[in-house]
Amino acid sequence: MDSIQAELDKLTGKSNLSKVATDIDACIKQLEAARNSIMQDPSQHLATMECLTRTIPTQLEKINTDHREIYTGMNRFDKALNKKFKLSASITKTDYDVFRQIDTKLIDKAIGMHLIREGEFEVAETFEKETGVSILDINSDLKEGFVEMYKIVSAMRLLRDIGPAIQWAEAHATELEQRGSTLLFQLHKLQFIWLFANGTKGGPGKLEALQYARTHLSPFMQHLKEISQLMCGYAFGENMPREFFGAPFEDPEKQWDDVAYVFMGEFCSLRGLSADSPLYIAATAGAIALPTLLKMKSIMKDKKTEWSSSHEVPVEVPLPPTYRFHPIFVCPVSKEQTDEKNPPMLLTCGHVIAMESLHKLPKNEHGLLKCPYCPKSCLIHHAKRVYF
Amino acid sequence: MPRRTLYLEYRDESLLRLPYELHRKVFKKAQNTWEREKVATAETIKDLAQKASSGEHSAEDSVKALDAAIAKMQNYKRKVETLHAEEKQLHGHQAKRIAHLQDLYKCPDLMDKSYERWSRKRLDRLLVDYLARHGHLETAKKLAEDRGIIDLVDLEMFMSCARIEESLKNKSTAECLVWCAENKMALRKQKSELEFELRLQDFVDLMRNQKLNEAMNYAKRFLAPHKATHFNAIRQAAGLLAASSRSHLMEHPQYKALYSEDRWSYLAETFIKTHNSLLGLPPGPSIFVALPAGLSALKVSACYPSCPPTTSGPATSNTSLCPICATELKPLAKDLPYAHYARSSMDLDPVVLPNNRIYSEERLHSLAKKLGLPQGMIRDPTTGEDFEQTQVKKVFIM
């Protein structure tokens, strides 16, 4: 990237048409000077014209050089681009055809949904008008849901007003509690921290915060440890020793963002949705996966081999752990992922293998078989189908 | 920095490639103008000097001639300045885009918030690209403006491209022919068929309207120059001139094809293809590459269970967050290959409950704590059943 930047700097700094313009100006000046000198002294007519036949071609040559310099500069920029994006050459035309069989309406719908999920309601409306695709079913209240969510979130983000979020969390307290969510406490905690650091009247509002804690934090007995950390703020000030108390007062602005994100997560999960737009996750995962996939493709092309299993991608993609949403069980015997037809089976010793592998293991007439991973034996009908 | 982040922007070439190609076009224009100007000026000066020395021009004549030359030069300078303004704008775009790509390098790793912000911006770009390529220009513009990425996308280019495409669909070749003229050299280099096809269409249309003489002249002027490369097509088209009636011709499939209305969408398609390859644009929207790759990387058999899990998953599980399980992506991922896993991937402390469900022991404990269950009790997060901790058994995943 730096080399591209350097080439661009050269283009913007000197190798551009402004130099041409300057040199044209000089040319015009020479012509004007000649004209003026003839006007003033017609006797110099011949000499001046003679002089022009020498100076003008030199000047023209200069402009020529200016052009050549731009040309060279652009070529160098081009080379730098090619070098940087070598991998993009390995994307071929067919790579764009994966979705050929898929109805564009489905893609449009997914995009429309993404727009709603990102809170781009006006864009979504324009999109519906332009494509004629209706993003949501008529009786879906999803959009209203997201309108509400973004209202609450922008109150937090823009106005630093936590009220609407707390109202929502209190209205959904039972559901949140069932999920083991600590959202309500986190909201009150944030409000406390914000009051402690900024108050409502400008400047720290330690007393206000104390009042707030007495009414709003005290009911959360299960979070006693965190509350006591917060209360240490009164003894030690904001810069309390981090090794004992953590840093509850650090970077409140960031905490607003974080808690808003937690809020969005909880809001969405109550509706069975993820906090991040699925399209965003998938596209990002794609960006992370592509280099590996492309590399694999070029290796397979070089070796003229083809991937035998068409229903699996030929290579394991190193996605970060947050991009794993289901536990994956791969049978250690057959190295295959289990599914409904070939489910995972738990042996009495605690090891798990796939059903097909289980049936292939040697067993005696009573159905007794030895676990492939430990010395214990297990009756085949004692193996249990398990669910991850 | 992890190695793989370094590769991430490999497919953003067109982001920088396009302004470069546009810049090159501007420069070509500047150079062509200059070539003409250079020769003309050099000759004028030589000519004037000669006329002065031969006595043909008086001093006054020379002053007049110089005035004319100066005016011409100034005119040229104005042209250069306009081109320089265009060039400057493109340099500006280029700089902003490079800065955007540089931002990626500042992300410490894929888990960092800064990467998330960057990735969101990239998705916005990909969406604008998709929308613009599919002719949803208003949405594209609105999204780009709302997200503040107007300098990172090339809406103007897409708009002018869409205008020409539209005109072809409305059965007019004029706009596209102007574009061909503007890009004459590049098209010739690519051995593009576009211009010939357009000319052929014009000729067929003249024939369709029974304008025999005009058609003949048109063919002489615009088809004949292509005889080296398109001899057969021209000969076939000339057949139209010989035929007395159109209905007679329509019995022959190749003539039927010439008169077909489908040719317009063929022309529109050819134009788009030519346009994109001329500017180094990928043949399709980039999201058509990124999205299937991502869907496949995320797709596992658990996404397509015979009995769907409860919709509102517990806070301890990721299941309800899976993008493949989301209704809007599921149909897109349906026919794509699954991700490949060589080893199991799950929490390191699996335990099995009496109902045969396997969970992370630690997650079960923390859920129990959050729910405030009585000591020694745990709850199945999926089914909501409560069990005693003593009923929980360790499981070994190899």
Side-chain angles (χ1 to χ4, degrees):
Chain A
M1 218 65 228
D2 290 337
S3 64
I4 297 179
Q5 180 71 55
E7 294 304 334
L8 181 67
D9 287 345
K10 273 186 221 154
L11 287 176
T12 48
K14 57 185 181 81
S15 310
N16 58 52
L17 291 172
S18 74
K19 211 169 173 187
V20 175
T22 320
D23 282 335
I24 295 171
D25 242 358
C27 196
I28 294 173
K29 289 246 163 64
Q30 286 179 1
L31 290 172
E32 279 172 348
R35 172 190 172 277
N36 291 344
S37 83
I38 299 175
M39 285 264 280
Q40 273 167 14
D41 185 359
S43 69
Q44 287 296 309
H45 175 206
L46 263 181
T48 316
M49 290 311 287
E50 174 65 19
C51 179
L52 274 185
T53 57
R54 271 172 285 120
T55 53
I56 291 293
T58 324
Q59 191 57 31
L60 293 182
E61 193 43 50
K62 223 170 164 184
I63 302 176
N64 223 16
T65 316
D66 295 340
H67 279 91
R68 215 171 306 134
E69 192 186 322
I70 303 177
Y71 183 75
T72 318
M74 292 188 63
N75 270 349
R76 291 178 60 114
F77 185 82
D78 184 30
K79 278 213 185 88
L81 272 190
N82 281 337
K83 206 171 150 201
K84 180 78 212 169
F85 295 107
K86 255 188 286 189
L87 257 168
S88 71
S90 53
I91 305 181
T92 52
K93 238 182 128 286
T94 48
D95 289 324
Y96 290 91
D97 290 341
V98 184
F99 274 160
R100 178 147 285 181
Q101 258 81 34
I102 285 187
D103 188 357
T104 22
K105 279 225 162 63
L106 285 174
I107 301 171
D108 285 343
K109 235 176 156 144
I111 291 177
M113 195 60 172
H114 170 78
L115 293 175
I116 289 182
R117 302 219 39 180
E118 293 279 299
E120 294 287 346
F121 304 115
E122 273 176 43
V123 182
E125 235 166 74
T126 315
F127 183 63
E128 282 191 319
K129 255 186 237 150
E130 216 167 14
T131 55
V133 167
S134 49
I135 300 167
L136 299 165
D137 301 329
I138 300 160
N139 49 7
S140 167
D141 63 342
L142 202 69
K143 191 177 159 189
E144 285 67 47
F146 279 104
V147 171
E148 186 192 356
M149 182 179 97
Y150 278 104
K151 227 186 240 164
I152 298 173
V153 168
S154 54
M156 286 176 79
R157 283 198 177 138
L158 306 176
L159 308 174
R160 297 291 182 233
D161 176 9
I162 209 157
I166 290 182
Q167 241 170 38
W168 181 87
E170 276 169 351
H172 297 83
T174 0
E175 289 155 280
L176 286 170
E177 213 168 296
Q178 263 165 13
R179 287 174 35 78
S181 160
T182 58
L183 177 66
L184 191 55
F185 175 69
Q186 287 190 58
L187 292 170
H188 282 305
K189 178 180 155 190
L190 176 64
Q191 179 67 358
F192 170 80
I193 291 170
W194 191 246
L195 286 175
F196 189 88
N198 297 317
T200 48
K201 300 171 194 82
K206 295 194 175 166
L207 271 177
E208 269 178 277
L210 193 61
Q211 283 291 324
Y212 192 86
R214 279 191 182 144
T215 28
H216 297 289
L217 291 184
S218 54
F220 290 93
M221 279 308 284
Q222 68 270 41
H223 297 292
L224 198 57
K225 196 171 160 230
E226 269 178 86
I227 295 175
S228 49
Q229 274 177 359
L230 292 174
M231 290 308 125
C232 286
Y234 287 99
F236 296 93
E238 286 167 47
N239 304 318
M240 46 188 160
R242 170 195 274 274
E243 53 273 36
F244 298 115
F245 308 114
F249 295 99
E250 203 172 81
D251 202 350
E253 302 284 345
K254 185 177 167 290
Q255 290 195 35
W256 276 98
D257 260 3
D258 292 348
V259 175
Y261 189 74
V262 172
F263 167 78
M264 278 158 72
E266 296 293 350
F267 192 101
C268 293
S269 3
L270 286 197
R271 290 165 172 268
L273 299 167
S274 57
D276 276 318
S277 159
L279 192 70
Y280 163 74
I281 305 262
T284 307
I288 299 171
L290 263 174
T292 314
L293 296 179
L294 289 175
K295 188 124 206 207
M296 190 65 201
K297 202 173 105 180
S298 71
I299 291 172
M300 289 205 298
K301 204 171 145 203
D302 285 348
K303 295 194 171 163
K304 294 204 169 58
T305 50
E306 267 187 44
W307 179 244
S308 53
S309 168
S310 62
H311 72 286
E312 254 186 35
V313 173
V315 62
E316 189 165 341
V317 173
L319 288 183
T322 44
Y323 285 81
R324 302 210 170 148
F325 300 95
H326 299 280
I328 305 294
F329 178 71
V330 176
C331 171
V333 178
S334 64
K335 303 286 176 205
E336 282 171 5
Q337 273 183 66
T338 51
D339 52 28
E340 297 292 319
K341 277 179 239 130
N342 182 24
M345 304 295 286
L346 173 69
L347 306 181
T348 44
C349 56
H351 286 106
V352 186
I353 58 176
M355 167 118 70
E356 280 172 16
S357 310
L358 177 73
H359 287 295
K360 280 182 194 149
L361 287 178
K363 48 190 167 290
N364 70 9
E365 65 271 25
H366 308 296
L368 193 72
L369 46 82
K370 191 193 106 33
C371 169
Y373 297 99
C374 70
K376 289 189 185 146
S377 292
C378 169
L379 279 168
I380 191 159
H381 63 266
H382 282 172
K384 289 191 297 187
R385 154 94 159 101
V386 282
Y387 301 85
F388 287 100
Chain B
M1 190 189 301
R3 221 169 96 90
R4 62 181 124 96
T5 54
L6 293 178
Y7 279 126
L8 283 174
E9 79 292 5
Y10 71 92
R11 75 188 145 82
D12 285 326
E13 176 169 9
S14 64
L15 188 68
L16 302 186
R17 174 62 63 191
L18 189 65
Y20 170 74
E21 294 294 341
L22 294 175
H23 181 195
R24 225 173 53 140
K25 253 171 100 174
V26 171
F27 175 65
K28 276 266 144 70
K29 218 190 248 172
Q31 201 170 26
N32 287 341
T33 328
W34 160 240
E35 294 292 343
R36 262 179 306 192
E37 198 67 30
K38 182 176 72 177
V39 175
T41 315
E43 267 171 18
T44 312
I45 296 300
K46 218 167 112 193
D47 186 45
L48 288 184
Q50 222 162 35
K51 278 179 176 155
S53 71
S54 71
E56 195 183 319
H57 268 183
S58 66
E60 206 173 306
D61 288 337
S62 280
V63 167
K64 253 187 207 157
L66 280 177
D67 271 339
I70 291 166
K72 202 161 163 277
M73 207 61 169
Q74 267 161 345
N75 197 18
Y76 168 58
K77 193 189 153 201
R78 270 193 293 279
K79 271 188 215 155
V80 171
E81 274 166 349
T82 322
L83 290 170
H84 179 51
E86 280 180 49
E87 180 189 55
K88 232 173 160 170
Q89 194 190 6
L90 288 166
H91 282 160
H93 281 181
Q94 201 71 277
K96 283 208 177 114
R97 291 163 189 221
I98 292 175
H100 167 61
L101 292 181
Q102 295 269 38
D103 279 345
L104 178 66
Y105 286 85
K106 292 183 197 138
C107 304
D109 62 64
L110 297 177
M111 310 300 293
D112 197 76
K113 270 260 185 254
S114 59
Y115 177 68
E116 196 192 309
R117 264 197 301 279
W118 194 87
S119 186
R120 232 167 248 284
K121 215 176 206 177
R122 169 178 53 203
L123 177 59
D124 289 336
R125 276 197 288 118
L126 296 186
L127 288 179
V128 172
D129 173 56
Y130 170 89
L131 292 168
R133 279 169 185 265
H134 283 76
H136 312 317
L137 287 162
E138 215 179 304
T139 319
K141 188 160 171 258
K142 216 164 177 163
L143 183 64
E145 280 167 358
D146 266 26
R147 298 296 186 125
I149 53 162
I150 232 48
D151 289 325
L152 301 182
V153 291
D154 299 280
L155 282 175
E156 266 166 53
M157 186 263 319
F158 279 116
M159 278 177 194
S160 60
C161 177
R163 258 197 300 279
I164 296 173
E165 185 194 1
E166 202 53 40
S167 72
L168 284 174
K169 285 185 176 160
N170 291 328
K171 304 186 184 172
S172 155
T173 55
E175 293 81 351
C176 195
L177 281 169
V178 170
W179 183 83
C180 284
E182 277 169 16
N183 297 283
K184 206 168 186 167
M185 290 312 284
L187 289 174
R188 202 174 294 165
K189 227 185 208 163
Q190 280 204 349
K191 296 199 172 71
S192 160
E193 309 265 299
L194 181 63
E195 197 194 333
F196 176 75
E197 293 289 343
L198 292 167
R199 296 294 184 193
L200 185 62
Q201 185 65 39
D202 277 352
F203 171 74
V204 171
D205 279 342
L206 286 171
M207 287 306 295
R208 199 198 308 268
N209 297 326
Q210 308 275 326
K211 291 183 182 157
L212 208 63
N213 271 335
E214 277 176 55
M216 227 141 72
N217 288 334
Y218 194 89
K220 267 186 216 153
R221 199 163 154 216
F222 294 115
L223 293 184
H226 293 275
K227 62 178 181 286
T229 43
H230 295 88
F231 188 68
N232 279 335
I234 295 171
R235 203 167 57 177
Q236 195 204 335
L240 298 181
L241 288 168
S244 51
S245 78
R246 216 175 112 197
S247 54
H248 191 65
L249 276 173
M250 292 305 258
E251 286 161 28
H252 298 277
Q254 67 259 49
Y255 287 116
K256 209 174 157 182
L258 272 182
Y259 274 124
S260 163
E261 298 282 310
D262 292 346
R263 270 190 60 85
W264 289 109
S265 52
Y266 164 74
L267 287 174
E269 215 173 281
T270 312
F271 163 68
I272 298 274
K273 252 188 227 159
T274 315
H275 174 267
N276 288 357
S277 78
L278 214 61
L279 290 177
L281 282 175
S286 295
I287 199 157
F288 279 12
V289 178
L291 197 53
L295 292 174
S296 262
L298 294 166
K299 186 178 168 186
V300 292
S301 59
C303 297
Y304 292 86
S306 47
C307 50
T310 48
T311 44
S312 167
T316 48
S317 106
N318 274 346
T319 311
S320 70
L321 309 181
C322 173
I324 308 295
C325 298
T327 46
E328 68 256 43
L329 293 188
K330 210 159 199 170
L332 296 182
K334 203 178 100 225
D335 294 325
L336 295 179
Y338 286 94
H340 173 74
Y341 280 91
R343 301 185 53 111
S344 298
S345 155
M346 58 181 78
D347 292 309
L348 294 170
D349 53 347
V351 290
V352 63
L353 302 184
N355 61 6
N356 295 340
R357 293 191 165 271
I358 293 179
Y359 298 102
S360 144
E361 187 170 22
E362 203 245 304
R363 283 177 184 231
L364 284 179
H365 284 310
S366 74
L367 179 66
K369 217 173 106 195
K370 276 184 187 168
L371 291 172
L373 294 185
Q375 195 70 31
M377 292 299 288
I378 50 106
R379 178 170 296 170
D380 182 327
T382 315
T383 63
E385 294 167 271
D386 284 353
F387 299 103
E388 274 175 42
Q389 254 173 42
T390 48
Q391 292 172 285
V392 171
K393 250 185 76 181
K394 258 202 149 4
V395 166
F396 305 100
I397 304 296
M398 303 298 285

